[in-house]
Each structure stands twice: as C-alpha cells, then as structure tokens.
Amino acid sequence: MAFVSHAPTILVFDSGLGGLTVFREIVKLRPDARYTYVADDAYFPYGQHTEDEIIARVVPLIGDLIAEHRPDLVVIACNTASTLVMTHLRETYSVPFVGTVPAIKPACASSKTKRVSVLGTRGTVKREYTKKLIADFAQSCDVTLVGAENLASLAEATLRGEQVSDEAIAAEIAPCFLDGQNGNGARTDTVVLACTHYPLLIGQMLALAPWTVDWIDPAPAIARRVGSLLGPPNAHGEEPEAQFRFTSGQAPNPVLAKVLKPFICASVAT
Ligand code: DGL
C-alpha cells in the first residue's frame, strides 16, 4: 500500500481486551494516528467457539466496522481469529490487514535447549495454521502446544479489578514447563505467548514460573509491521485519539475505565 500522508485511522480488533497489548505497541510507533479499538466481548471467549462459528462471526463484523470507521488499516489483534480468518478478510475487503499469529519462528530460532512451548487458547493450538508454522519453522526444536482453557478470562478479570488466584494462573501455565525427564532430555527455555491476552498477566507468570524462561510476545513485531505499512508518523500530526467499543454495548466498569486511559496519551473517548 502507499503510505498515507494524513493521520491514519487504525482499527484494532480482538475478542476482548487482549488486543490492548498490541495496541499499546502500535501507539508508540504511530502516536499521531486515530484509533478505534473494538472488543467483541459479546462473543468472548473466541477460544471456546468452533472454527466455523468464528469465521461466520468475524468476517461480516469486520465488514461492518470497516463501513462504519473507514480505517486505513485493520489489526486483528487476536491469534484465535487470525489463525483462521486472514485469508477470508483479505479476499473480501480491500483494506490492508495485519494479523497476530504464534511467534514460533523467532522462539525456535532463539531457544538454546531446543525445547519450546506455545501457550495459546484451545482454538489456536488446534489450528492447522499453527501446526504448519511448527512444521515450517520448528527447525530442530521440540515444540509443545499448550491450550489454556481460562487464561484469557483470567486476564480480563484482572483488568476489571476482580481477584484472580495465583493457583489458577499457575495451573494454566504449568504444562508449558517440561523438564529433562521426558522428550528430548532438555528443559523448556522459551514460551510463546500465542494469545494477546497473556502479556497482560506477565508479572504473575514471571513470578509463578517454576524456572526462568524467555516469554515471547510478538506485539512489538506486529507494531513494526503496522509501521512499515503506514510509513513514519506525521511530524505535525494531530493529537492521538482513541475510542473503545464493546460489542456487548456495556460500558467499562470504573476499574477498567482507569486501565484504558493510559493506553493513549491524549483524551480517551469510551
Ligand atoms: N486474545 C485472543 C487471542 O489472541 C483470545 C482470547 C479468546 O479466547 O477470546 O487468541
């Protein structure tokens, strides 16, 4: 696409609040843009829907959002959706899309023990797309797919100010940690965060991990891709703007409203 000379409009989409981890990286690179963040919370969690349901939900919904917001670029900040719908979206709409898929290639390239875990939703770890990434990029690594049942919901609950126990988070991440007793005899040293919600819990995961690993968050790389498609920020750009939309129609509670504010430096319309 040709670089846009005006302040671009960027639509960031996720099933919930996980896309904020991508959004905050994009804002750093394009502070001059106008943002619409859409959380499809009426259909959350995507990880519990079938592939057909997600395609049938997301493709027309994105069409409606494009018609309403006329974005210059759309970011599907959700692995569970991106691993399914990117081809459909690109075939159906002419707007450029950036997706979010498990960062298996860089994780396997940097693992020293050659033992990598991919922590995603149950949907993402089942995808053919994910299996193909492993076939193409695992190199000599032993890759373990871990489908977390509730971790995205626990991240949502944390952002809304609800109590989430350490035990609940520890139980979800435990299968990522394989010691030398099985498989290739080495210990896991790298975990791919293959759901955009999970970096929201990184503090807890670092504290609860049975040993130190590298947690691979692809958000900065996704932001760089957005930056390369849109070009450099407009030096005399306007103040950044963001509006948050929830498909349930529910307004964020006061705790969440406070969380959303710093995601953009200027005024935030919710
Ligand atoms: N944030 C989404 C992802 O990256 C998933 C959360 C959900 O299950 O809806 O996969």
Side-chain angles (χ1 to χ4, degrees):
M1 69 179 273
F3 290 172
V4 286
S5 54
H6 56 276
T9 297
I10 302 174
L11 176 70
V12 181
F13 177 85
D14 182 31
S15 58
L17 300 167
L20 293 175
T21 62
V22 178
F23 176 37
R24 66 187 172 192
E25 295 298 324
I26 301 171
V27 170
K28 286 184 201 160
L29 286 186
R30 287 303 305 236
D32 59 325
R34 293 196 182 93
Y35 293 90
T36 299
Y37 184 97
V38 179
D40 188 12
D41 61 335
Y43 217 60
F44 179 86
Y46 278 10
Q48 318 253 338
H49 289 285
T50 67
E51 300 198 347
D52 287 346
E53 284 169 351
I54 292 174
I55 294 167
R57 170 77 180 179
V58 174
V59 177
L61 177 56
I62 294 293
D64 292 346
L65 293 169
I66 290 171
E68 189 181 342
H69 299 282
R70 304 261 157 227
D72 295 289
L73 185 141
V74 178
V75 181
I76 306 296
C78 174
N79 294 260
T80 313
S82 296
T83 47
L84 275 181
V85 301
M86 298 312 292
T87 311
H88 298 275
L89 292 175
R90 291 189 174 115
E91 278 170 9
T92 314
Y93 310 111
S94 57
V95 182
F97 287 95
V98 174
T100 318
V101 297
I104 288 165
K105 187 178 180 182
C108 290
S110 66
S111 170
K112 305 257 179 318
T113 63
K114 300 285 169 206
R115 185 146 227 192
V116 171
S117 289
V118 177
L119 181 63
T121 65
R122 294 214 160 155
T124 296
V125 301
K126 272 195 287 195
R127 302 270 186 270
E128 277 313 309
Y129 191 101
T130 305
K131 291 184 183 145
K132 181 147 184 353
L133 286 177
I134 294 171
D136 290 348
F137 300 118
Q139 300 151 65
S140 52
C141 288
D142 192 340
V143 179
T144 302
L145 288 167
V146 177
E149 191 174 2
N150 296 314
L151 207 47
S153 299
L154 296 176
E156 293 266 327
T158 303
L159 281 196
R160 292 196 158 83
E162 294 162 26
Q163 279 299 322
V164 170
S165 74
D166 284 353
E167 290 72 29
I169 296 172
E172 296 274 12
I173 66 172
C176 293
F177 293 84
L178 297 168
D179 60 26
Q181 310 207 329
N182 42 32
N184 69 3
R187 211 156 87 146
T188 308
D189 71 349
T190 307
V191 178
V192 178
L193 297 171
C195 169
T196 53
H197 278 77
Y198 301 166
L200 296 170
L201 294 173
I202 193 66
Q204 292 94 320
M205 293 196 291
L206 284 168
L208 295 167
W211 59 82
T212 304
V213 292
D214 284 336
W215 301 88
I216 308 290
D217 175 6
I222 296 157
R224 285 195 295 277
R225 174 75 187 137
V226 171
S228 73
L229 288 171
L230 290 175
N234 187 341
H236 306 292
E238 297 162 34
E239 288 284 278
E241 264 176 44
Q243 52 171 314
F244 292 91
R245 289 268 310 274
F246 295 85
T247 56
S248 66
Q250 277 180 15
N253 73 12
V255 178
L256 179 57
K258 222 166 149 189
V259 168
L260 294 180
K261 244 187 161 74
F263 273 93
I264 198 97
C265 19
S267 58
V268 179
T270 51

